[in-house]
Amino acid sequence: MTVSAAQNAPNPAASNPNAPTAETVLSVHHYTDKTFKFRITRPSSFRFRSGEFVMIGLPQETGKPLLRAYSIASPSWDEELEFYSIKVADGPLTSRLQAIQPGDSVLLARKPTGTLVLDALTSGKRLYLFSTGTGFAPFASLVRDPETYERYEQVIATHTCREVGELAYSREIVAEAKADPLVGEYASAQLTHFCSTTRETSDHHGRITALIESGGLFDALGVPPLDPETDRAMICGSMDMIQDTKTLMLKAGLREGANSEPAEFVIEKAFAG
Ligand code: A2P
């Protein structure tokens, strides 16, 4: 079924109050042959905390909708919902999702959740947001939320990709945050964006894990090494990246937090279930 055919499919919410709602695509922007962002309508009853994820997807002819966990990239105050997605040629969902156009429908589940939220961390001085690839998405939400800057003096958002072109989204979001009427003043004074690439030359080369281990990250930023007294961290990327970065947090003496028990760092749990 094409996306436009999906638009004419019956709205699943009509028969089941817990079923996803059909939302309208408002805009689509392709960054590279691997990534794109899109914005959809936000139902007035849809509440979330910046950094959370939600299941989104498309209807299928078999009847059961095809849904995947996506971090919400827009901040909680935004009237629309933004998502940043990878394109996988043979991916069941993204092979179809990458073809959406404004006016098409996307299914949105009703209950967002997640651990990459400010409430899962104890207070501190400096907040690190470590991301690779499309893992920047939840941080696109958090760097546009004023609460992030109210809680931390300094916010360091790192983004590592294979190639320079893949850094376009985070660069755009950081520039947008710094120019935004609501958070611009905070972001300009408190937000640092650190980018590195691993398969193409740029200002900083190497995996974020290697840069943490060597201390190259802290030297480049002009800040002291990780300290559980002052530093907090959120981690989002591939499962291997999350695991390896988590190991380094534990080595530095930071403890993993959760909504029920805030501590010094949190990892994306969208892959877990
Ligand atoms: P590398 O090019 O050395 O594999 P991917 O597209 O595979 O998810 O990778 C996105 C970025 O994350 C790449 O720069 C990649 O580096 C890096 N990366 C992959 N695995 C890890 C890991 N275990 N720890 C840290 N960074 C990683």
Side-chain angles (χ1 to χ4, degrees):
M1 179 164 51
T2 64
V3 172
S4 38
Q7 243 184 309
N8 299 326
N11 182 349
S15 51
N16 175 357
N18 294 319
T21 56
E23 301 304 322
T24 306
V25 176
L26 299 170
S27 63
V28 183
H29 182 81
H30 293 265
Y31 289 91
T32 64
D33 57 352
K34 282 196 238 158
T35 57
F36 70 111
K37 82 163 173 192
F38 57 96
R39 293 176 73 88
I40 64 171
T41 48
R42 175 178 179 175
S44 51
S45 59
F46 186 87
R47 291 202 205 139
F48 71 100
R49 294 178 294 172
S50 295
E52 287 189 317
F53 67 86
V54 65
M55 305 297 284
I56 61 168
L58 294 170
Q60 296 187 104
E61 269 162 357
T62 55
K64 197 167 185 269
L66 181 59
L67 301 172
R68 293 283 182 273
Y70 268 79
S71 291
I72 304 167
S74 43
S76 58
W77 53 262
D78 202 323
E79 285 173 14
E80 301 170 2
L81 295 174
E82 179 174 312
F83 298 94
Y84 181 53
S85 178
I86 195 155
K87 302 181 209 175
V88 183
D90 56 356
L93 179 61
T94 66
S95 61
R96 288 174 56 206
L97 197 61
Q98 63 182 286
I100 53 170
Q101 302 284 342
D104 287 344
S105 288
V106 164
L107 298 175
L108 173 75
R110 293 175 190 249
K111 288 212 188 323
T113 182
T115 43
L116 300 182
V117 291
L118 295 169
D119 288 343
L121 294 175
T122 49
S123 57
K125 180 178 172 192
R126 195 175 289 122
L127 175 65
Y128 285 94
L129 305 171
F130 294 117
S131 72
T132 56
T134 54
F136 186 76
F139 305 148
S141 175
L142 284 157
V143 301
R144 291 185 278 181
D145 189 328
E147 204 182 331
T148 307
Y149 304 102
E150 283 159 13
R151 293 207 192 191
Y152 297 93
E153 277 173 37
Q154 191 179 12
V155 179
I156 298 168
T158 82
H159 192 203
T160 303
C161 294
R162 296 179 183 198
E163 293 163 15
V164 177
E166 295 167 75
L167 299 170
Y169 180 66
S170 65
R171 288 197 162 133
E172 179 187 285
I173 294 298
V174 168
E176 210 176 276
K178 292 191 175 186
D180 186 87
L182 185 68
V183 294
E185 217 170 298
Y186 291 117
S188 299
Q190 295 164 244
L191 175 61
T192 303
H193 188 210
F194 178 92
C195 295
S196 73
T197 47
T198 49
R199 303 197 191 184
E200 200 177 41
T201 1
S202 65
D203 291 350
H204 300 287
H205 189 83
R207 290 183 171 193
I208 195 63
T209 41
L211 290 161
I212 295 171
E213 269 192 300
S214 69
L217 173 68
F218 312 107
D219 292 344
L221 295 169
V223 297
L226 287 172
D227 178 348
E229 286 293 312
T230 51
D231 297 335
R232 304 293 172 260
M234 296 190 184
I235 307 169
C236 191
S238 65
M239 269 194 274
D240 286 348
M241 176 273 186
I242 291 174
Q243 194 50 52
D244 292 351
T245 313
K246 172 178 165 165
T247 302
L248 295 175
M249 298 301 113
L250 294 170
K251 201 168 149 196
L254 280 70
R255 294 164 308 140
E256 185 177 352
N259 277 293
S260 55
E261 202 173 340
E264 289 87 42
F265 78 92
V266 280
I267 63 171
E268 181 55 275
K269 287 272 177 67
F271 307 116

